[in-house]
Amino acid sequence: MSMVRVSLCVAALGVVLVWACASEGGVEDGVVGVLDGLEEGRVEVLEGREAGVLARGAEREEEGAAFFLGLVYEGMGLREEARVCMEVAAESGSVPARVGAVGWLMEDAYGRGDLAGVEEWARRGVGYAELRGEAVARLVEVWARRGGGEREVLERVAEEGEGRARAWALWAVGERERVLEEVRAGEVPEGVWVVGEWGVLGEAVGAVREGRYGEAVEGYRAYLKGGGRATPAVLADLYTAFRLSGRLSEGASFFLSLAETRPEVRLSALDYAGRLFRFAGDYDRSDQVWETVGEEASSPTLRARTAWYLFANAVRRGGDAPLALAPRLPALLHSTQELSPVLDEYVSELIRTGRFRTLPRLYTALAPILSPPHRALLSTAILASASAGLLPLSPDEARTLKEALAQASSSPLTHPYYYLLAHPDASPLAYYTRTPHTPRASDPAATRFIRLALRFRPLYPRLPSLLRPFLPLAAPSALFDLARALSHAGLHYQAIHLLADLHEEGIPLPEDLVRTVLYPRPFLDEVEAALRTLSPHPSLDQSLLYGLMREESLFSPSIVSHAHAVGLMQLVPATAEEERRRLRMEPGDLEDPSYNITLGTSYLSRMLDRFSLPIYALAAYNAGPTRARAWTASYAHLPPLLWIEALPLPETRHYLRKVLASSVYYAYLYHGRSVRDELFRLTGTDVAQALSL
């Protein structure tokens, strides 16, 4: 969002508007005009306004509007006007508006050094339990500094809070050693903790923070041997120090001794011992430790972690070790989703190494706890293997697996790629529009608050974060309107994520939103120009280009990845420069949509020229042509659907599923092509035949 002061040339207009607003009977009319202008993105309607009159009128016109007006004023740099609006909102009847306004006013008071004001605003209007985020942190900091406050609130924040709020609350209730948990996360502000305050413990913490892991090991050991308290932070830091200093077996043995001498931290110490033995390659001793944890743990989380490490160790051993362990896992887990990504990797390894007969045995052993995504993955792999003659399967077994695939692929937790494989002759829209669900109970106040927010177009880039606490409380129809508005404003990243979250929750999406918001076509002129001027490979059309662009960037032109890939098509600068030289283009900005799309289209077209199938070219686009050539040579004997699952790089497996699914949706929605035909075009495979559907 870019909002600046409007020039003085519109001051006369502002005076006229103020007069209309202040005149008898004109407040509501004036406010309606302002709201209409802000809905259109015209911040000049606020220039010259008297904030108090406008805010009060906004409250009468629509409860809570003063809060959003304050945010717009803040964005314009008009801090005093923003404060007036927030003070009105803090006294309003709308709970969401009061929560937001009080938080703003507390932060504003803190920034001005008015610590009494921070506490005063916290007392007014909403009650301590309603405070959010930064407001809580500021309040407990003030209480900690003056040495008193609401004990119940401090204890709650100390146990449930995060970051600086937790650190200040722990400090205020006297739990100073536990502040180390925040030290380790690097989130403790100056004044909460001083290195060396607790002697050897302070020195050990300082050594961890500075990367002197050998010294940290000795410091923590001395502290614990001297009777120091084994807090979760101390154990975690000591584990980190042992691991990063390379003293793995020594560290595991120390944690085993700690488990015997400190019963209050026995399971945590065993947890760290098991991890360190695993990193040292001593899988037998690691398993022994985790077996003990599994027997003694009552926590579902710790039992799930036990299952994960036992299975991960079995995968590292190779052979049939994971299969031998699989029948025991239902006693430790509720769902195989807790085994991700190690189970995914094991299935991929079975396909790579040709152990196809193990797949149905694994499926049977894990059947009671198979999550929908893993049921879809395994049933697809088994059916594809059987159809290719790599695995015997009876008609009854095949029928059962087909039904399992159809059911699992309809879950909102399963990627739509598997839905397309299971329903190649049906409309793919059903995956989003027919999801069974239990209607959510919505809060009318949160729903009104979100609908009101939609009228403040200058705030759109901030809305997802501003409204996050209220999204789970609002009616789906309001969230659909929010997604539509964000998409129309070009904020596709936020809009797509919002709809994806709703779908994963089990809420059916309206068909028009699937077409226009979940799978939009921004930058259409640039895409058509690139395809027209470059005359790319025949397989590269709009649907494939949009499918790739959607999954690379969610249509965010300025996004930069951890690998320094930039823009809509996520081009690494070196690759982009190579394409620019080939096309004899002038240097440009990779955040420019036209420039990025042109270079990305050219590069993808070259990959399509090099490889025989689009899926191979997409793998090259993601992982590089050298890797893709090696994979096509190594796994040439596998049919394409198994080839995807066999790839040794998890990122590329996920990438292909995502791009294939999105490309199919674009082909169906905008070009009328069937799922079966589009999958055949991209993979060279008749999916129904490949899965014997």
Side-chain angles (χ1 to χ4, degrees), residues 224-237:
L224 291 171
K225 287 180 178 179
R229 184 179 171 195
T231 66
V234 167
L235 297 183
D237 275 355

Side-chain angles (χ1 to χ4, degrees), residues 328-350:
R328 295 182 50 209
L329 296 178
L332 295 169
L333 294 171
H334 293 298
S335 167
T336 55
Q337 200 64 18
E338 296 166 301
L339 289 179
S340 294
V342 66
L343 178 57
D344 310 57
E345 185 53 45
Y346 181 53
V347 173
S348 181
E349 180 189 322
L350 292 176

Side-chain angles (χ1 to χ4, degrees), residues 296-610:
E296 298 182 10
S298 58
S299 161
T301 300
L302 197 50
R303 291 173 67 82
R305 190 182 305 162
T306 297
W308 193 96
Y309 275 106
L310 288 173
F311 194 77
N313 287 350
V315 171
R316 288 286 183 92
R317 285 192 179 92
D320 285 337
L323 186 64
L325 177 67
R328 295 182 50 209
L329 296 178
L332 295 169
L333 294 171
H334 293 298
S335 167
T336 55
Q337 200 64 18
E338 296 166 301
L339 289 179
S340 294
V342 66
L343 178 57
D344 310 57
E345 185 53 45
Y346 181 53
V347 173
S348 181
E349 180 189 322
L350 292 176
I351 298 171
R352 279 198 303 276
T353 55
R355 288 179 284 162
F356 302 104
R357 292 174 182 268
T358 303
L359 292 169
R361 295 166 62 195
L362 182 66
Y363 184 97
T364 300
L366 296 177
I369 56 170
L370 273 177
S371 66
H374 285 136
R375 192 176 295 276
L377 168 62
L378 274 167
S379 56
T380 296
I382 295 169
L383 288 168
S385 300
S387 298
L390 303 169
L391 170 69
L393 204 63
S394 72
D396 287 343
E397 290 172 327
R399 188 180 309 110
T400 300
L401 284 169
K402 292 171 195 175
E403 293 172 356
L405 173 59
Q407 182 178 5
S409 66
S410 297
S411 166
L413 300 177
T414 304
H415 195 274
Y417 168 75
Y418 293 103
Y419 184 86
L420 300 174
L421 297 186
H423 304 85
D425 296 312
S427 166
L429 291 176
Y431 172 76
Y432 292 106
T433 59
R434 297 180 185 173
T435 306
H437 76 295
T438 301
R440 63 152 70 177
S442 58
D443 176 10
T447 300
R448 288 196 304 270
F449 191 61
I450 287 174
R451 291 198 183 283
L452 175 62
L454 296 178
R455 303 196 67 178
F456 292 80
R457 188 180 176 90
L459 294 176
Y460 276 14
R462 297 172 62 185
L463 285 187
S465 59
L466 285 171
L467 300 177
R468 186 174 295 115
F470 309 104
L471 296 182
L473 305 174
S477 59
L479 301 181
F480 295 154
D481 290 342
L482 175 60
R484 187 180 289 109
L486 292 172
S487 185
H488 288 171
L491 302 170
H492 303 287
Y493 187 97
Q494 295 93 324
I496 292 171
H497 270 298
L498 176 58
L499 288 187
D501 289 344
L502 291 174
H503 176 253
E504 188 170 322
E505 187 181 328
I507 297 175
L509 304 182
E511 185 173 313
D512 71 297
L513 289 189
V514 177
R515 291 178 179 275
T516 60
V517 177
L518 201 58
Y519 293 95
R521 288 195 303 174
F523 313 109
L524 183 58
D525 290 343
E526 289 84 352
V527 167
E528 289 180 337
L531 292 173
R532 182 173 59 252
T533 58
L534 293 175
S535 300
H537 187 279
S539 294
L540 182 49
D541 63 358
Q542 271 194 28
S543 61
L544 179 55
L545 196 56
Y546 268 109
L548 181 141
M549 197 189 313
R550 180 185 190 271
E551 300 310 326
E552 288 285 1
S553 65
L554 288 184
F555 306 111
S556 300
S558 59
I559 195 168
V560 180
S561 76
H562 66 279
H564 308 295
V566 182
L568 292 171
M569 298 188 69
Q570 287 292 277
L571 294 169
V572 175
T575 301
E577 179 61 16
E578 180 183 354
E579 289 305 310
R580 183 192 72 78
R581 292 179 182 277
R582 286 186 67 260
L583 297 174
R584 298 181 180 179
M585 294 175 62
E586 292 295 321
D589 183 356
L590 282 176
E591 294 185 10
D592 174 69
S594 178
Y595 186 69
N596 192 288
I597 289 172
T598 299
L599 297 182
T601 301
S602 175
Y603 181 65
L604 180 56
S605 180
R606 281 207 298 126
M607 295 302 101
L608 288 164
D609 285 333
R610 290 188 188 184

Side-chain angles (χ1 to χ4, degrees), residues 8 14-15 32 55 93-94 106 139 171 196-197 217 237 314 342 413 417 513 560 575 604 608 620 643:
L8 293 176
V15 171
V32 171
S94 166
M106 288 172 64
L139 176 62
W171 184 273
E197 173 152 352
V217 166
D237 275 355
V342 66
L413 300 177
Y417 168 75
L513 289 189
V560 180
T575 301
L604 180 56
L608 288 164
W643 184 87

Side-chain angles (χ1 to χ4, degrees), residues 27-28 30-36 38-39 46 51-74 81-101 445 448-459 463 466-467:
V27 171
E28 287 82 357
V31 169
V32 171
V34 168
L35 295 181
D36 289 343
L38 291 175
E39 191 171 0
L46 292 177
V53 174
L54 183 59
R56 287 189 293 276
E59 283 302 307
R60 286 196 292 273
E61 164 60 26
E62 210 157 356
E63 191 176 329
F67 170 68
F68 292 112
L69 283 170
L71 293 176
V72 176
Y73 273 128
E74 178 188 37
E81 289 83 347
R83 188 177 298 115
V84 171
C85 289
M86 291 300 181
E87 288 174 354
V88 172
E91 304 294 338
S92 74
S94 166
V95 172
R98 293 208 315 271
V99 170
R448 288 196 304 270
F449 191 61
I450 287 174
R451 291 198 183 283
L452 175 62
L454 296 178
R455 303 196 67 178
F456 292 80
R457 188 180 176 90
L459 294 176
L463 285 187
L466 285 171
L467 300 177

